[in-house]
């Protein structure tokens, strides 16, 4: 499985993502600059956290039009896995690869914390290795307040596209239905505000991100078993 | 020149606006019931005529300047001759 981690001006979780892939899957992920036009060699594309293009205009709004994101949309269409984390999630919604939008946190504070998540759908390409339904993964964002209208929320629920919810009754950002991560209908694009790449070692305070990366590799291998 | 106002849709919570409401109340402006905070942009560009200018600005707003999931926009045009 060939992995790419996109790198925009302002990305700051790109190296964490590369290291997480190395430590959880023993694979080398390539850092790919935002001007790259061809991602056809990659099976997994990670759109990392940070502040792409300074979050000018809106978080993710400008990154969406980068050459690498055009290539990512094409990759998603041919079935490659795409994982958007934090700013990456914002970019994927702006690009239309995932429904909804991320608004400023309802309490207006930047929130940096370990949070408990409910794995709502443990049968996706990104979650099938999870053996428990509650996991602890850190968040760090000021604009993680997920929004969809009622009609789209109903569709997400019916299609089991809600993958993670914040487990506490009090959402850390005000997201509709406590949503922390959603997947596309086809099941190959996941966006989430929490940072699984920062939860891959006891030294980081949690190892609950490991199963996410392992799920991707297992799913990919199953899809390519001859 | 287009003067563009971008605001969150009425149905979308505006936390910045809520914070400013509280601040105005604490300054004794107790009659304030709502504040909505948006963005103001000035775009200088060229167009054949007014209709073409309107079409261009609408496309700019829909493709980049707003997120139609949560935001709405309005604009005015002013002719600026060099």
């Amino acid at each position: 499985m060939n992995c790419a981690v996109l790198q925009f001006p302002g990305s700051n979780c790109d190296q964490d993502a590369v290291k997480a892939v190395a430590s959880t899957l023993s694979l080398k992920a390539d850092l790919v600059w935002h001007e790259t036009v061809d991602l056809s060699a990659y099976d997994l594309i990670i759109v990392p956290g940070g502040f792409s293009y300074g979050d000018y205009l809106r978080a993710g709004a400008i990154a969406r039009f980068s050459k690498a994101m055009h290539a990512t949309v094409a990759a998603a269409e041919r079935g490659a896995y795409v994982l958007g984390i934090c700013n990456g999630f914002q970019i994927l919604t702006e690009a239309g690869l995932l429904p909804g939008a991320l608004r400023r946190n309802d309490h207006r504070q930047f929130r940096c914390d370990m949070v408990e998540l409910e794995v709502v759908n443990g049968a996706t390409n990104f979650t099938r290795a999870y053996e428990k339904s509650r996991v602890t993964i850190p968040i760090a964002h000021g604009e993680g307040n997920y929004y969809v209208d009622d009609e789209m929320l109903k569709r997400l629920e019916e299609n089991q596209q809600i993958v993670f919810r914040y487990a506490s009754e009090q959402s850390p950002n005000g997201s509709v239905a406590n949503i922390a991560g959603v997947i596309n209908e086809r099941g190959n694009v996941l966006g989430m505000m929490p940072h699984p790449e920062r939860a891959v070692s006891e030294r980081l305070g949690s190892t609950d991100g490991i199963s996410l990366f392992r799920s991707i590799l297992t799913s990919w291998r199953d899809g390519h078993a001859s | 020149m287009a003067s563009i106002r971008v605001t969150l849709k009425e149905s979308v919570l505006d936390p910045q606006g809520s914070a400013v409401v509280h601040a105005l109340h604490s300054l004794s402006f107790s009659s304030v019931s709502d504040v909505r905070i948006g963005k103001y942009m000035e775009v200088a560009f060229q167009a054949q005529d007014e209709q073409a200018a309107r079409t261009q600005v609408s496309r700019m707003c829909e493709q980049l300047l707003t997120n139609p999931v949560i935001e709405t926009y309005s604009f005015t045009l002013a002719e600026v001759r060099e």
Side-chain angles (χ1 to χ4, degrees), chain A residues 57-58 61-62 64-65 93-94 100-108 145 147-149, chain B residues 8-9 11-13 15-16 18-19 22 39 41 62-67 69-71:
Chain A
L57 192 63
R58 293 182 309 279
I62 297 176
R64 174 212 163 167
F65 292 99
T93 60
E94 284 282 339
L102 280 309
R103 302 169 295 177
R104 203 176 280 250
N105 293 352
D106 63 348
H107 45 65
R108 303 178 291 278
N145 181 351
Y147 174 81
V148 279
D149 62 21
Chain B
L8 287 167
K9 285 180 180 171
S11 56
V12 175
L13 172 76
Q16 283 190 97
S18 310
H22 288 128
K39 293 176 192 150
M41 304 169 204
E62 279 151 30
Q63 288 178 35
L64 175 65
L65 302 181
T66 73
N67 181 336
V69 178
I70 51 173
E71 291 173 330

Side-chain angles (χ1 to χ4, degrees), chain A residues 19-35:
Chain A
K19 287 177 183 170
V21 169
S23 72
T24 60
L25 306 179
S26 299
L27 293 175
K28 182 185 173 298
D30 293 337
L31 273 178
V32 173
W33 187 234
H34 65 112
E35 289 176 337

Side-chain angles (χ1 to χ4, degrees), chain A residues 8 12 25 56 78 129 138-139 154 184:
Chain A
F8 302 99
N12 64 17
L25 306 179
Y56 290 167
R78 72 172 155 79
I139 56 166
K154 199 163 158 248
N184 64 340

Side-chain angles (χ1 to χ4, degrees), chain B residues 3-4 11 13-14 16 19-21 23 29 33 35 38 43 45 47-48 54 56 58 60-61 63 75-76 78-79:
Chain B
S3 300
I4 304 170
S11 56
L13 172 76
D14 178 359
Q16 283 190 97
V20 174
V21 168
F29 293 104
S33 57
V35 173
V43 178
F45 66 109
Q48 290 282 339
R54 288 198 172 279
Q56 273 200 64
S58 296
M60 289 179 208
C61 288
Q63 288 178 35
F75 62 87
T76 57
E79 193 171 2

Side-chain angles (χ1 to χ4, degrees), chain A residues 1-6 30 32-33 35-45 67-82 220 224:
Chain A
M1 185 172 78
N2 294 321
C3 310
V5 176
L6 303 190
D30 293 337
V32 173
W33 187 234
E35 289 176 337
T36 306
V37 294
D38 183 7
L39 295 174
S40 58
Y42 295 104
D43 309 297
L44 166 65
I45 298 165
K67 290 170 183 163
M69 273 310 298
H70 285 299
T72 299
V73 171
E77 282 168 4
R78 72 172 155 79
Y81 295 135
V82 178
W220 181 82
H224 289 77

Side-chain angles (χ1 to χ4, degrees), chain A residues 156-202:
Chain A
L156 291 179
E157 283 170 345
E158 282 170 1
N159 295 336
Q160 297 186 299
Q161 287 176 253
I162 300 167
V163 177
F164 297 108
R165 286 186 208 265
Y166 301 105
S168 69
E169 284 178 22
Q170 183 84 41
S171 151
N173 49 37
S175 288
V176 165
N178 263 354
I179 291 171
V182 294
I183 199 164
N184 64 340
E185 281 188 41
R186 183 172 171 181
N188 64 323
V189 179
L190 174 76
M192 60 193 294
M193 286 314 293
H195 286 269
E197 83 284 16
R198 293 187 192 168
V200 294
S201 155
E202 290 293 351

